[in-house]
Amino acid sequence: MDEPGPDEPDWNYRDQEAWAELPDSRCGRPGEQSPLDLRGFPENSVWLPMEEVGHVVRLGPINRTVWPRYPIVWNYTWPMVQVALEDGSAGPQAQLLSPYNESTRVTFFKTDYYLQGVRFASPSEHQLDGVSYDMEAQYLHRARDGQVLVAAALLRVGLVPDNAFVEQLWAGLGRLGGGSGPATLVVPNPFYSGLPADRSLFAFNGSLTRPPCTTEVVWLVFRQPILVSRRQRDDFRQRLQDSQGDRLRMETTSPKGVIEPWNLSLGTNRRLLQPQGSRLVLSLNVTRAPPKPEPSDLFGGPDAWAYAALGLLAAVVLLGSVLLVSCLCCRGCGGGLLRRKWGSRSRELLSDASTDAEEDESDGRGGSDGSSSLLSGRR
């Protein structure tokens, strides 16, 4: 982790304006500092699919000539890693030990950054749309040439059981202090259980959030928070107070967005928000298209399909009625014509039969046989 050396001057969270006066400090350079209040979907927003294959998670692919096929790739070898947990000058932090700090990496625009460790802040240092979160986990990575990348996951208290990754780290907090040195732990790989399932994020250039506020740091801040229990948050804040004491900043009101109750008697280890200046913020989102506002008009709103179905049903009913009336009309006309034709034919048959009977009678050949034949025919 990027800790001050033993000869560097002390600093605290209470008087952050004094950071700019420290030797070799870059904390007073506006427009280059972190943290930021990240808002909505900035102009530089890109929507990408997310792929997960084995121990690899990547955003992409995309078809752009100036971008790599996969802008961001997370890759790890071991599902469990060994860390050294200690009290740093900014609070508890865990440093990955070898060989895990060489096999857990994120590739950002073709540059490999290797995970070195994780530190926590409470409340969160970054905000989303003006809202703070209960905690923030900052994963520090370093490239071969020394370039630093920090990936920040926001932690929110929810009605959930203890977060497994956080809980295994917190298990070592009780072993710190008393000059015993760092506590060595085996915990789940942060890439496996310490990052949100949705890797949508903001990317921008900034600085470390503690002296000497090293600049030209790449920041990745995830949109989706990770849920922790209230006990886990409160245990961390109490440990932070016990180890840092009066070096912490005391708040007079609860930060906007944190889950109450929030103990104001415990200090905080967050740096105040910094101006964005002229910096660009890139938004990489795990979808293929930006969310479209729902139209409020009758034919373009969310219920348009219902109106279309009703219209189709009305058309079917109307068509059926027309066909029914047509059939009835045709049946009436056709039935009368048949009756007229059958009546005329019947009269002809009866006339013929009567003529035959008269002829038989006049010839003396009439009898029961002819009557029976006629009656049989009339039946």
Side-chain angles (χ1 to χ4, degrees):
M1 300 292 288
D2 194 48
E3 286 294 313
D7 298 330
E8 295 187 27
D10 195 13
W11 54 273
N12 60 69
Y13 284 99
R14 290 180 289 104
D15 185 13
Q16 298 186 23
E17 293 183 358
W19 292 5
E21 307 301 325
L22 297 174
D24 301 322
S25 173
R26 299 186 178 183
C27 301
R29 297 186 177 185
E32 299 181 7
Q33 298 295 300
S34 300
L36 298 180
D37 180 13
L38 303 166
R39 294 184 170 269
F41 291 88
E43 181 180 353
N44 298 295
S45 296
V46 180
W47 282 262
L48 302 170
M50 187 178 81
E51 299 179 353
E52 184 171 0
V53 181
H55 292 178
V56 177
V57 177
R58 55 196 180 191
L59 294 186
I62 58 176
N63 296 317
R64 294 197 175 192
T65 57
V66 296
W67 280 34
R69 182 171 173 81
Y70 295 98
I72 309 181
V73 180
W74 291 269
N75 196 337
Y76 66 94
T77 302
W78 312 98
M80 304 293 290
V81 296
Q82 192 174 37
V83 300
L85 184 67
E86 59 183 349
D87 283 320
S89 60
Q93 61 183 26
Q95 181 173 351
L96 265 70
L97 302 179
S98 181
Y100 309 104
N101 57 359
E102 295 289 333
S103 59
T104 307
R105 70 181 186 274
V106 57
T107 303
F108 183 69
F109 283 83
K110 298 183 179 181
T111 300
D112 291 333
Y113 297 87
Y114 297 87
L115 180 62
Q116 303 299 299
V118 56
R119 62 172 293 267
F120 296 87
S122 183
S124 66
E125 295 194 298
H126 290 86
Q127 295 182 359
L128 298 186
D129 295 315
V131 175
S132 298
Y133 289 77
D134 295 274
M135 297 180 63
E136 181 175 327
Q138 297 177 353
Y139 300 95
L140 187 140
H141 306 70
R142 199 182 300 275
R144 299 296 189 194
D145 61 1
Q147 172 74 41
V148 174
L149 179 147
V150 182
L154 304 172
L155 279 58
R156 170 184 286 165
V157 168
L159 297 176
V160 296
D162 293 336
N163 180 284
F165 171 70
V166 172
E167 189 62 20
Q168 294 194 45
L169 279 178
W170 273 208
L173 292 178
R175 296 162 52 184
L176 300 180
S180 59
T184 302
L185 306 171
V186 176
V187 299
N189 193 306
F191 282 14
Y192 177 71
S193 59
L195 300 181
D198 185 336
R199 301 293 171 89
S200 299
L201 53 83
F202 296 95
F204 58 93
N205 287 326
S207 71
L208 295 180
T209 57
R210 43 181 298 286
C213 305
T214 305
T215 56
E216 298 182 1
V217 173
V218 177
W219 277 90
L220 308 178
V221 180
F222 296 102
R223 285 181 177 271
Q224 184 184 64
I226 297 174
L227 295 181
V228 298
S229 68
R230 191 173 72 182
R231 183 194 65 80
Q232 290 178 316
R233 179 201 67 182
D234 293 345
D235 284 356
F236 173 80
R237 295 193 66 212
Q238 186 61 59
R239 175 64 196 181
L240 184 66
Q241 182 67 42
D242 294 342
S243 63
Q244 303 298 319
D246 59 3
R247 296 187 66 250
L248 301 178
R249 175 183 174 84
M250 304 304 297
E251 308 280 352
T252 57
T253 59
S254 300
K256 178 183 177 181
V258 301
I259 302 301
E260 299 286 359
W262 178 269
N263 191 345
L264 292 175
S265 68
L266 302 179
T268 64
N269 65 336
R270 67 165 175 175
R271 188 186 187 188
L272 300 178
L273 291 174
Q274 302 297 307
Q276 178 177 333
S278 60
R279 283 177 290 177
L280 295 179
V281 175
L282 177 64
S283 177
L284 300 178
N285 310 284
V286 184
T287 49
R288 289 190 177 274
K292 298 180 179 179
E294 295 182 346
S296 57
D297 59 280
L298 178 64
F299 299 104
D303 296 329
W305 64 271
Y307 294 112
L310 289 175
L312 180 61
L313 179 60
V316 170
V317 171
L318 179 60
L319 179 60
S321 301
V322 172
L323 292 176
L324 179 60
V325 172
S326 300
C327 289
L328 291 176
C329 292
C330 292
R331 182 179 180 183
C333 297
L337 179 61
L338 289 174
R339 283 194 297 270
R340 288 193 296 272
K341 290 183 177 181
W342 172 249
S344 177
R345 179 59 176 162
S346 298
R347 285 192 294 271
E348 293 176 0
L349 291 174
L350 289 174
S351 177
D352 293 342
S354 177
T355 302
D356 292 340
E358 292 176 355
E359 291 176 352
D360 291 340
E361 184 176 357
S362 62
D363 293 339
R365 294 192 297 271
S368 59
D369 291 342
S371 300
S372 300
S373 177
L374 177 62
L375 291 174
S376 176
R378 290 168 71 179
R379 291 194 188 99

